[in-house]
Amino acid sequence: MTRWKPDAAGRLTAAALALFDEQGYDATTVAEIAERAGLTKRTFFRHFEDKREVLFGGSEELLRRWEEAVAEAPPGAAPLAAVAAGFAPLAEMFEERHAFARVRARVVEANPELQERELMKLQRLADVVSAALRARGVAGNEAVLAAQAGVTVFHVAFARWVAQSDPAAFGGLLEESLQELRGLAAAGG
Amino acid sequence: MTRWKPDAAGRLTAAALALFDEQGYDATTVAEIAERAGLTKRTFFRHFEDKREVLFGGSEELLRRWEEAVAEAPPGAAPLAAVAAGFAPLAEMFEERHAFARVRARVVEANPELQERELMKLQRLADVVSAALRARGVAGNEAVLAAQAGVTVFHVAFARWVAQSDPAAFGGLLEESLQELRGLAAAGG
C-alpha cells in the first residue's frame, strides 16, 4: 500500500496552518507555505487567492448551508426555530474539520486583523440568515434579532467546540447553547 | 449676544464628520479637518490621536457605563436583567449625541475598515459585559451568551434609533428590542 497523499489544497492548508501557528500569520509568506507543502507558489495560487483564503475559504459553504436550511425549514416554524434548522447541517459540515478548526481558532485569536475579519464573517452570516428569514415573511426587526441571536449561539457553541476534543460534539453544543439562550431570555426581567 | 462657539474638540468633530460624509473617510486628511474647523493640525492632535478617534472616542465611556450598570444591578437580578440595567444609562448618554450618531452611522456604513472597527468595538463591549456578569457570579457560558444577547439588542436598537428622528427614542427602542428578543426566544422550538 502506498502512503496516503492528501490533495494539493489539503497539503497547502495543513502547511499554512502549521506555519501560522508556529511563527504567526503575519510572518508567514506564501513561498514558505508552498515550500513546506512541497509545492510551488504557482500551485498555491491555483487553489487560493491569498494566504487569508486558507483560513476563510469555508465561509461561502457555511453561508450557503445555513441559508438553505432556513429556507427549507417547515412553513410554520417560529423565526428562531427556522434559524436553528441550520445547526444540524452546520454541525455535519464542521465535524470533519475539527482538527483544522482548533488550530485555526488559535491563529485567529493571536491576530487582531484576523479577528476583525472573523467578526465581519459572522456579521455577513447574520445578514444572510436575516434575509432568509425575511424571505419567509418574518418582519424586518424580528428577522435581524433572530438571526443575530442564532449567530451568537453559533459563535458561543463554536468556541466551546474548539476548546474540547470531541469532533462530534458540535451539534450537541449548538443545541445546548440555544437552550441556554432561551433560558436566559425567559428569566424574570 | 455673541454667536455660540463650540469648543475646539466639538468644532473638530463636526468638521471631521461633515468631511467624512461629503467626500469619504479615506479621502479626508487631518489637515482638511483642521482647516474646515478653522484650527491647526496641532490643535487636532491635542484632542485626537488620529482621525479614527473622532468616530470611536466615545467607546470607553460606553464600556465604562455599561460595566458599572451591570456591577450595580440588584444582587438577585437574572443575568439578562443585569445586562439590561445598562440600557437606561446608555440611552441617557447617547440622547444628546443623536445628530452625531446619525451621520457617524452613515460614515461607518460606507467604509469596510470602519465597519470592522465597529464590530471589534461591539465584541469588546460583549467581553466587558460578560466579565462584569462573571464578577456577579454568573457561570462563564451563561455570561457570554447573556452579554452577546445584550449587545445584539443594543446593536439592533441603535440601528433603529439612528434611522429615525427622535433623539429621546433610544431607551424605548432598547426596551422594545429586548422584549422582542425575549418573545423570539420563547416561541416554540
Side-chain angles (χ1 to χ4, degrees), chain B residues 12 82 117 134 143 158 170 189:
Chain B
L12 288 161
R117 176 61 39 184
R134 282 199 303 278
F158 199 91
F170 194 29

Side-chain angles (χ1 to χ4, degrees), chain A residues 6 9 14 25 61 88 93 98 109-110 120-121 130 141 144 153 158 168:
Chain A
Y25 173 81
E61 187 183 350
M93 166 188 163
H98 191 238
E109 180 64 32
M120 287 291 271
K121 187 186 85 177
S130 173
N141 288 343
V144 172
V153 166
F158 198 91

Side-chain angles (χ1 to χ4, degrees), chain A residues 11 50 52 60 96:
Chain A
R11 280 157 69 189
D50 52 31
R52 202 171 61 186
E60 292 309 312
E96 65 183 27

Side-chain angles (χ1 to χ4, degrees), chain A residues 52 77-81 112-113 115-117 119-121 123 138 141-146 148-149 152-153 155-156 160 176-178 180-182 184-189, chain B residues 52 77-81 112-113 115-117 119-121 123 138 141-146 148-149 152-153 155-156 160 176-178 180-182 184-189:
Chain A
R52 202 171 61 186
L80 198 55
E113 185 204 322
Q115 285 169 38
E116 293 191 5
R117 177 61 39 183
L119 290 172
M120 287 291 271
K121 187 186 85 177
Q123 187 55 52
V138 177
N141 288 343
E142 285 207 323
V144 172
L145 275 168
Q148 290 278 5
T152 292
V153 166
H155 190 183
V156 168
R160 293 188 201 174
E176 198 178 301
S177 301
L178 176 64
E180 277 181 28
L181 180 68
R182 288 193 191 274
L184 286 164
Chain B
R52 202 170 63 186
L80 198 54
E113 184 203 321
Q115 285 170 36
E116 294 190 6
R117 176 61 39 184
L119 290 172
M120 287 292 272
K121 188 187 85 177
Q123 187 55 52
V138 177
N141 288 344
E142 285 206 324
V144 171
L145 276 167
Q148 291 277 6
T152 290
V153 167
H155 189 183
V156 168
R160 294 187 201 173
E176 198 178 301
S177 301
L178 176 64
E180 277 181 30
L181 180 68
R182 290 194 191 274
L184 286 165

Side-chain angles (χ1 to χ4, degrees), chain B residues 1-165:
Chain B
M1 242 177 91
T2 55
R3 197 167 73 85
W4 177 72
K5 280 224 176 189
D7 60 305
R11 280 158 68 189
L12 288 161
T13 299
L17 261 199
L19 287 164
F20 294 161
D21 197 29
E22 285 162 30
Q23 65 189 31
Y25 173 80
D26 285 334
T28 301
T29 65
V30 168
E32 289 174 300
I33 295 168
E35 193 193 342
R36 172 78 66 107
L39 296 164
T40 61
K41 275 175 69 173
R42 199 169 148 177
T43 303
F44 180 93
F45 288 116
R46 268 209 302 276
H47 292 279
F48 302 100
E49 202 176 310
D50 51 31
K51 66 179 177 173
R52 202 170 63 186
E53 210 199 326
V54 177
L55 299 173
F56 291 92
S59 303
E60 293 309 312
E61 188 183 349
L62 169 57
L63 286 169
R64 205 189 57 243
R65 282 205 181 207
W66 204 340
E67 187 177 29
E68 279 175 12
V70 173
E72 289 162 11
L80 198 54
V83 170
F87 290 167
L90 295 188
E92 190 204 318
M93 166 188 162
F94 279 105
E95 187 168 341
E96 66 182 27
R97 304 183 194 185
H98 191 239
F100 170 82
R102 295 189 80 179
V103 184
R104 181 188 178 282
R106 206 156 57 213
V107 169
V108 171
E109 181 64 30
N111 187 297
E113 184 203 321
L114 295 175
Q115 285 170 36
E116 294 190 6
R117 176 61 39 184
E118 186 80 341
L119 290 172
M120 287 292 272
K121 188 187 85 177
L122 291 172
Q123 187 55 52
R124 188 153 159 252
L125 196 50
D127 291 343
V128 163
V129 171
S130 174
L133 286 173
R134 282 199 303 278
R136 293 173 60 85
V138 177
N141 288 344
E142 285 206 324
V144 171
L145 276 167
Q148 291 277 6
V151 169
T152 290
V153 167
F154 174 81
H155 189 183
V156 168
F158 199 91
R160 294 187 201 173
W161 177 62
V162 295
Q164 57 84 63
S165 61

